[in-house]
Amino acid sequence: MLSRTADHLYWMARCTERAENLARLLDVTHQMSLVPQSVAAENQNWGAILALNSLEASFNDAYDEVNAENVLRFMVSDAKNPSSIYSCLRAARENAHAVRGTLTAETWESCNATWIELREQKFEQILSAGVGEFFDWVKLRSAVTRGVTFGTMLQDEALHFIRLGGLLERGDNTARILDVKYHVLRSNGDEGDEGTTDFYQWGALLRSLSAFEVYRKVYRDVITPARVAELLMLRMDLPRSLHACANGIVRVLDLISNSHSDETKRRAGMLHAHLHYARIEDVLAHGLHEYLTDFMDRIYDLGEGINRDFLIPAA
Amino acid sequence: MLSADSQSNHLEPSAAANIMKLNFYNEMYDAAGSLRPHYRAYADWLAATPPERIARKRAEADIAFHRVGITFAVYGDESSQDQGKERLIPFDIIPRVIPALEWQGLHAGLRQRVKALNAFLHDIYHGQEILQAGHIPREQVLNNAQFRPEMMGIDVPAGIYAHIAGVDIVRAGEGAFYVLEDNLRVPSGVSYMIEDRKMMMRLFPELFSRHKIAPVQHYPDMLVENLRTVAPQGVVDPTVVLLTPGAYNSAYFEHTFLAQQMGVELVEGRDLFVKDDTVYMRTTQGPQRVDVIYRRLDDDFLDPLAFRKDSMLGVPGLLSAYRAGRVTLANAIGTGVADDKSIYPYVPEMVRFYLGEEPLLNNVPTWMLRKPDDLKYVLEHLPELVVKEVHGAGGYGMLVGPASTKQEIEDFRARIIAEPEKYIAQPTLALSNCPTFVESGVAPRHLDLRPFVLSGKNIDMVPGGLTRVALREGSLVVNSSQGGGTKDTWVLEN
């Protein structure tokens, strides 16, 4: 397959996945803000989203205050913000457009339909209809596109690169959501982990990653931060966990390997082992934030390796 | 021996007036208003189909075309925040029907014409016998911007230069067909021909059981087979690719469509590189050799080392690999010299010279404004003529006299006087029309036909082609960039 084609497929998947996870992150922040708290604390939570994506500077250029409406506008509909849901879905559609001949008709049409419907939604309408509804729509469109992709495409290299992009982005995004929310929640929570506020807050975090029911099923017990971290990081059977993503990356790299991809495969294997044999007690003792930062660095490094080996090779 | 100039068709005003008469030929009805026999079954069906169903189906077609993304980009429209705005080409559900016998005539005429054009291209890049014989003025060819000296003496596989020709044909006057132009560079539109058929079969399957309509959907198969037969000598299982300028090109939809239908890679210039006069594409598994390039990129942009230095779309070294016979380009470099409007008047002469036959298809009488007599006549009759730039395309840069204001005509007159050699003029053809759905109901609109002629070991084409229709009332310009639409084209089988 053409390197450029692989590149477009990979980024189509990454951008779609990023839009979905951004919707998840904004959704959980929005839900957490519904629990009574000070305005300062709430605005701090919205500000954390900007910090997480290193967007404070460009946000401050265009908006005068960090508050729910401004951050939502910036992260949902702002075409000038390359990380907004609008920009991600536009980039996903442009990448798909560039390789539409490689996609099945259903996959392309789903991606294109998402973009057409998105363009028709003005931010004021989204706000007045309730942002939650919009986030559900983003997640649904992402699910539909993923569904037709895996349900209709030949299981060849094209699909492998789509999977690879999705997995890398998802692992990175889960780590980001966990990183920003875990700290907010830990610092809010007093000694007891089972206060009512906490229940709703941790519940919102789990829901945002579609893991609330899973948590109940796996632990059959009250929600504790350590278990939430364990579930979202180390469980191999939770589709959005770091471990599951690393596992998938290793498998896809095996399927697409070429004569110069051994080093990237080795590093992916190391990352996988790092999660596979980890214990949550050690992770927390070592420092969750440090662990997640290290994970995101390694994902970035794998992305560079994939670029070099497959997507932008020297002649 | 006659000189080239004295032999060309200098027009008597009376000859021109003959096809300028404004009683339009209607594809569906004859002059007495009776239905033509080949439209009877369709007209019966249309009369028996409730208008609500038609309306619903037309809306369905619109949605389907949008969702599939069968659109084209409009150049120069950057007003919206989404650059490269895309527009639908309107699709009309009343087909253009061609009876079997008429198609047989067109088919034979097209084969003959394209054969002669390829012979001409081979000749002018080799011995130039037609120039030696004085049938075409030497400077018309050699000083033509589309003539590529780089091609002199190069032998291309099977002697084919124009592998894909999109010949524009109109019906005028009493019903005779005329060739309007021969598109031998990168003709487009074939994807609409196929999508229009798919749409008709989806909307109205019952029509296809009532008629025997020649299929067209195998065009991509014919095309890829044709491209494989012209691979460089010695290549057993050639790798064919389609080279596109990229996603912002107005015909990008067609490029992706054809690549997918043929099962070949859709490449951009940056996906290819040349090493030791061999072309490779960059793949996830390393470099892979390319043997045949179906290029949808103009000559000027193909190779920045040989043509336009600022081209970001081409492949450095491609011309060198091509000259070494290591890769086939379809169409060949330098075909533009044969479809140039200043060469067009000589095509009938090519048929006689190379094939020793009388041309089966008519040319439109053409005044060449570099000739003083022609210029004088045209300047005196501007309001009734069509004037075209010799190198223009896509309906840009032309004057349609009867549809223009006095001011527009005077502006154009000044341009002609400044550089008469840049223009040709033709009578305003009374293009045939066909009933078409428009806002006010069903009304006649003018149309043309572009069959796609494939040349390789053989010359062949799928029956029919793309029918374009001018949707504005009275308009004679069918180009999609000028608000034209399309119709499905039915060649009936006996």
Side-chain angles (χ1 to χ4, degrees):
Chain A
M1 145 172 298
L2 279 182
S3 295
R4 184 178 51 83
T5 304
D7 189 56
H8 282 302
L9 294 167
Y10 170 88
W11 282 105
M12 174 192 83
R14 283 198 78 149
C15 294
T16 307
E17 185 72 31
R18 189 176 292 180
E20 174 182 344
N21 286 310
L22 193 51
R24 291 175 177 277
L25 173 64
L26 294 169
D27 197 23
V28 63
T29 306
H30 174 67
Q31 288 188 30
M32 285 180 175
S33 73
L34 300 178
V35 178
Q37 59 186 315
S38 74
V39 172
E42 193 198 325
N43 288 348
Q44 197 185 344
N45 290 345
W46 289 109
I49 291 174
L50 301 174
L52 183 68
N53 293 287
S54 310
L55 291 167
E56 299 104 317
S58 53
F59 177 85
N60 290 330
D61 283 348
Y63 299 84
D64 45 17
E65 194 194 347
V66 174
N67 58 32
E69 187 177 329
N70 281 348
V71 173
L72 280 170
R73 185 188 294 272
F74 182 63
M75 296 305 294
V76 168
S77 307
D78 196 330
K80 292 195 197 74
N81 171 11
S83 302
S84 67
I85 290 177
Y86 181 92
S87 298
C88 287
L89 291 178
R90 179 175 58 191
R93 191 265 181 185
E94 276 176 11
N95 277 291
H97 189 222
V99 290
R100 57 173 294 172
T102 310
L103 303 170
T104 53
E106 288 95 329
T107 302
W108 155 248
E109 286 175 24
S110 173
C111 205
N112 196 31
T114 303
W115 170 240
I116 291 170
E117 286 173 33
L118 177 71
R119 271 192 317 187
E120 285 162 4
Q121 306 182 51
K122 296 280 162 281
F123 182 69
E124 281 66 28
Q125 294 166 346
I126 292 170
L127 209 57
S128 66
V131 285
E133 197 172 299
F134 174 76
F135 296 137
D136 283 345
W137 174 83
V138 175
K139 285 190 274 183
L140 178 69
R141 290 306 311 171
S142 179
V144 170
T145 301
R146 187 163 46 240
V148 293
T149 303
F150 289 98
T152 62
M153 284 197 49
L154 186 68
Q155 295 182 9
D156 67 354
E157 246 190 316
L159 191 64
H160 299 331
F161 279 99
I162 291 174
R163 283 194 63 198
L164 191 59
L167 287 164
L168 241 72
E169 191 65 33
R170 183 185 293 176
D172 172 89
N173 293 175
T174 297
R176 277 173 202 269
I177 295 178
L178 186 58
D179 193 29
V180 67
K181 291 304 167 195
Y182 194 88
H183 285 278
V184 172
L185 293 182
R186 284 299 290 177
S187 57
N188 286 356
D190 301 320
E191 290 313 300
D193 274 331
E194 290 149 42
T196 43
T197 307
D198 270 0
F199 170 80
Y200 288 112
Q201 304 276 28
W202 288 105
L205 172 58
L206 286 169
R207 279 202 189 85
S208 78
L209 290 162
S210 307
F212 185 80
E213 292 82 1
V214 175
Y215 185 99
R216 289 299 197 206
K217 194 170 170 182
V218 169
Y219 296 103
R220 302 186 179 287
D221 202 347
V222 293
I223 297 176
T224 69
R227 285 182 189 145
V228 170
E230 182 183 58
L231 181 69
L232 297 180
M233 295 170 70
L234 304 183
R235 287 293 299 206
M236 191 171 68
D237 45 8
L238 180 77
R240 313 196 78 80
S241 77
L242 307 191
H243 189 178
C245 293
N247 200 26
I249 291 168
V250 168
R251 271 194 269 165
V252 176
L253 282 175
D254 260 341
L255 291 169
I256 60 173
S257 69
N258 65 21
S259 57
H260 35 279
S261 67
D262 286 353
E263 176 59 19
T264 307
K265 271 167 69 177
R266 190 184 70 80
R267 292 187 191 189
M270 297 256 296
L271 176 62
H272 176 245
H274 190 59
L275 289 156
H276 189 80
Y277 297 109
R279 290 188 307 192
I280 196 64
E281 301 79 28
D282 299 340
V283 170
L284 294 175
H286 174 70
L288 184 81
H289 175 65
E290 287 70 24
Y291 193 94
L292 291 173
T293 307
D294 175 61
F295 174 84
M296 288 185 266
D297 288 347
R298 288 175 184 232
I299 287 284
Y300 179 82
D301 174 64
L302 285 179
E304 293 291 291
I306 290 163
N307 265 345
R308 223 174 16 247
D309 299 345
F310 304 101
L311 307 182
I312 317 175
Chain B
M1 187 190 296
L2 290 168
S3 84
D5 269 343
S6 68
Q7 196 179 16
S8 76
N9 34 19
H10 183 74
L11 291 178
E12 293 307 320
S14 60
N18 200 29
I19 42 176
M20 275 195 282
K21 272 193 300 186
L22 290 178
N23 59 337
F24 299 112
Y25 181 95
N26 190 298
E27 299 285 339
M28 199 186 268
Y29 299 98
D30 65 21
S34 316
L35 208 54
R36 297 185 190 276
H38 55 275
Y39 263 106
R40 176 155 310 284
Y42 180 83
D44 288 349
W45 170 86
L46 189 61
T49 306
E52 307 80 59
R53 175 156 189 262
I54 299 285
R56 204 172 60 242
K57 292 289 181 180
R58 289 183 65 214
E60 189 182 324
D62 241 31
I63 292 166
F65 275 130
H66 251 304
R67 210 174 36 136
V68 179
I70 304 180
T71 55
F72 72 102
V74 182
Y75 292 124
D77 187 343
E78 287 168 8
S79 52
S80 79
Q81 62 174 333
D82 318 302
Q83 75 279 40
K85 192 176 164 73
E86 287 160 17
R87 219 198 281 161
L88 267 187
I89 297 187
F91 164 72
D92 184 63
I93 61 156
I94 301 179
R96 191 258 182 84
V97 184
I98 302 174
L101 197 64
E102 265 183 6
W103 174 249
Q104 282 166 22
L106 283 174
H107 184 259
L110 285 163
R111 284 176 51 109
Q112 180 195 54
R113 189 169 175 105
V114 171
K115 197 172 173 187
L117 286 163
N118 270 308
F120 169 72
L121 283 161
H122 182 269
D123 182 28
I124 59 152
Y125 290 124
H126 290 80
Q128 301 184 337
E129 287 169 25
I130 198 163
L131 306 185
Q132 316 280 358
H135 292 295
I136 302 177
R138 186 170 287 272
E139 71 282 0
Q140 279 294 297
V141 173
L142 303 186
N143 296 344
N144 193 304
Q146 298 297 323
F147 177 75
R148 300 285 178 184
E150 298 89 344
M151 290 296 292
M152 283 304 297
I154 297 184
D155 286 315
V156 297
I160 300 296
Y161 289 76
H163 308 83
I164 300 105
V167 182
D168 288 346
I169 292 181
V170 295
R171 197 203 280 275
E174 306 291 311
F177 288 108
Y178 292 84
V179 173
L180 206 54
E181 58 187 43
D182 307 284
N183 295 286
L184 307 178
R185 301 173 215 189
V186 285
S188 65
V190 78
S191 57
Y192 300 111
M193 170 186 86
I194 298 168
E195 288 292 344
D196 285 356
R197 174 61 54 86
K198 251 176 30 195
M199 187 59 72
M200 281 302 272
M201 294 183 81
R202 169 182 163 165
L203 297 178
F204 308 112
E206 69 271 22
L207 280 172
F208 290 80
S209 50
R210 292 184 183 207
H211 294 84
K212 277 191 184 167
I213 302 163
V216 297
Q217 297 102 311
H218 58 295
Y219 176 84
D221 283 58
M222 280 176 73
L223 176 59
V224 73
E225 190 47 40
N226 187 60
L227 292 169
R228 288 167 64 92
T229 64
V230 291
Q233 229 178 2
V235 176
V236 179
D237 184 15
T239 298
V240 178
V241 300
L242 193 158
L243 175 62
T244 174
Y248 295 106
N249 185 269
S250 63
Y252 184 67
F253 163 74
E254 178 158 306
H255 306 163
T256 60
F257 174 87
L258 286 175
Q260 187 182 40
Q261 295 291 310
M262 292 192 289
V264 307
E265 288 288 358
L266 177 68
V267 304
E268 294 181 17
R270 57 192 154 132
D271 297 323
L272 302 179
F273 67 95
V274 177
K275 198 176 163 193
D276 301 331
D277 277 347
T278 306
V279 182
Y280 297 93
M281 57 180 165
R282 300 173 215 270
T283 80
T284 53
Q285 298 295 312
Q288 186 188 335
R289 186 176 163 179
V290 170
D291 305 296
V292 180
I293 302 177
Y294 175 30
R295 49 93 170 210
R296 297 293 298 258
L297 190 60
D298 290 337
D299 286 356
D300 278 341
F301 297 97
L302 275 179
D303 181 349
L305 299 183
F307 305 113
R308 272 178 66 156
K309 308 278 178 280
D310 60 341
S311 171
M312 307 292 287
L313 305 172
V315 186
L318 184 58
L319 179 68
S320 162
Y322 183 56
R323 289 178 57 103
R326 303 276 293 161
V327 68
T328 301
L329 293 175
N331 291 348
I333 292 171
T335 52
V337 68
D339 73 6
D340 192 85
K341 291 190 181 72
S342 67
I343 300 295
Y344 164 89
Y346 301 102
V347 177
E349 203 44 50
M350 294 176 198
V351 173
R352 293 183 196 104
F353 183 76
Y354 296 111
L355 310 180
E357 299 168 6
E358 270 308 301
L360 300 171
L361 292 176
N362 301 313
N363 249 27
V364 180
T366 302
W367 292 278
M368 295 181 255
L369 304 198
R370 62 186 168 80
K371 298 187 192 173
D373 287 355
D374 285 16
L375 177 63
K376 182 164 177 290
Y377 177 82
V378 168
L379 288 176
E380 282 164 8
H381 294 83
L382 273 183
E384 57 203 62
L385 301 176
V386 174
V387 187
K388 297 176 179 175
E389 270 180 38
V390 169
H391 303 305
Y396 295 100
M398 63 188 276
L399 174 82
V400 181
S404 302
T405 62
K406 272 206 163 111
Q407 188 56 46
E408 284 165 344
I409 289 173
E410 290 317 307
D411 289 350
F412 218 90
R413 182 190 304 280
R415 286 163 62 184
I416 295 170
I417 291 170
E419 294 175 288
E421 67 286 352
K422 276 179 67 179
Y423 298 91
I424 57 156
Q426 293 171 337
T428 306
L429 295 180
L431 296 193
S432 68
N433 56 31
C434 181
T436 300
F437 274 95
V438 294
E439 268 178 35
S440 54
V442 176
R445 290 291 183 266
H446 297 295
L447 37 74
D448 80 349
L449 175 68
R450 176 179 287 185
F452 294 88
V453 185
L454 300 177
S455 304
K457 289 276 187 292
N458 304 302
I459 306 177
D460 210 350
M461 66 207 86
V462 299
L466 175 68
T467 293
R468 299 184 296 178
V469 53
L471 293 175
R472 269 188 300 126
E473 189 172 2
S475 171
L476 296 169
V477 186
V478 296
N479 302 76
S480 52
S481 52
Q482 312 290 325
T486 65
K487 284 171 174 287
D488 193 14
T489 309
W490 294 359
V491 170
L492 297 184
E493 294 181 335
N494 274 336

